[in-house]
Structures are given as structure tokens and as C-alpha cells.
Amino acid sequence: MLENVRLSGMPSIGLTLYPTYPVGFFKGWMAEPYHYQNGGDWTWFGGRMIQQLIQHGFYQEAYDELQPMIDRVVKNKGFYEWYGKNDVPSGSGKFKGSAGVLSKAIAMINQWASETATQQQ
């Protein structure tokens, strides 16, 4: 997952697929690589990956991979549906799917941190 993000130059593990389909493989909206589901970066997908990292004990990785998603929400003042190359926001800026998965991932990390702090006392 991380290698695909690195190779693609996309901003997060919300990357839908890599390598992308070539130019013109699809007609219309997805004709270009890194547009929509042809390699676009979707927070609702990446947020679910974060949740699974937490559930399987990869807490530091989850925290690290959550940061670019939170940073872009703050930077763009919204929960966009997906991001293209150069972290360009696209679709609705009030996408509830993105808001929901990020808030759940944050709550899961907070719960883990609280439980860990309690155990260390």
C-alpha cells in the first residue's frame, strides 16, 4: 500500500489503484489517470484502511497515515469526496462518507491511547 502511494505520488493510502489504467482506457470522467476511481485518492476508502490498521494493532502506522488526510481537511476547509494529483480536492466538499470514516478513525486512536495510558498507570 505504502509503496503504491510512493510510486504514484498520490497523497495518502486512500489511493484507489496503482498502476492506473492508461489515458483513454475509459471514456468520460475516468479517461485520465488519477481521476476519480482511476487512481484517485478517496478519504472514505483510506479512512477504512486506517481503521483496519488500528484493529490489527498497527497503531503508529495508523496515526502516521491518518495525518495527510486530516491535514488536507484542514487545509481545504472541507471533507472532499476525492483528491487528484497534487492533492487537488474534487467532488463535494461536504462528503459525509469522508467525515464519518475520519471521525471514527480518530475516535479509535483516542480510545487506544486512553486504554494504553490507563494500563501504564
Side-chain angles (χ1 to χ4, degrees), residues 49-87:
M49 300 301 288
I50 300 293
Q51 292 171 21
Q52 289 303 306
L53 288 168
I54 295 165
Q55 283 190 318
H56 293 280
F58 294 94
Y59 306 110
Q60 186 63 55
E61 292 86 347
Y63 180 83
D64 293 344
E65 298 309 314
L66 184 59
Q67 297 315 299
M69 294 180 204
I70 293 172
D71 291 346
R72 67 186 176 198
V73 166
V74 172
K75 174 185 165 193
N76 296 306
K77 299 180 174 113
F79 293 91
Y80 284 84
E81 283 184 77
W82 64 280
Y83 293 79
K85 273 287 194 186
N86 300 315
D87 212 13

Side-chain angles (χ1 to χ4, degrees), residues 5-19:
V5 170
R6 186 186 70 76
L7 291 171
S8 72
M10 293 301 279
S12 83
I13 63 172
L15 175 67
T16 53
L17 63 93
Y18 183 82

Side-chain angles (χ1 to χ4, degrees), residues 4 7-8 15-22 26 33-34 37-39:
N4 285 347
L7 291 171
S8 72
L15 175 67
T16 53
L17 63 93
Y18 183 82
T20 61
Y21 287 95
F26 295 108
Y34 305 105
Q37 292 291 341
N38 187 15

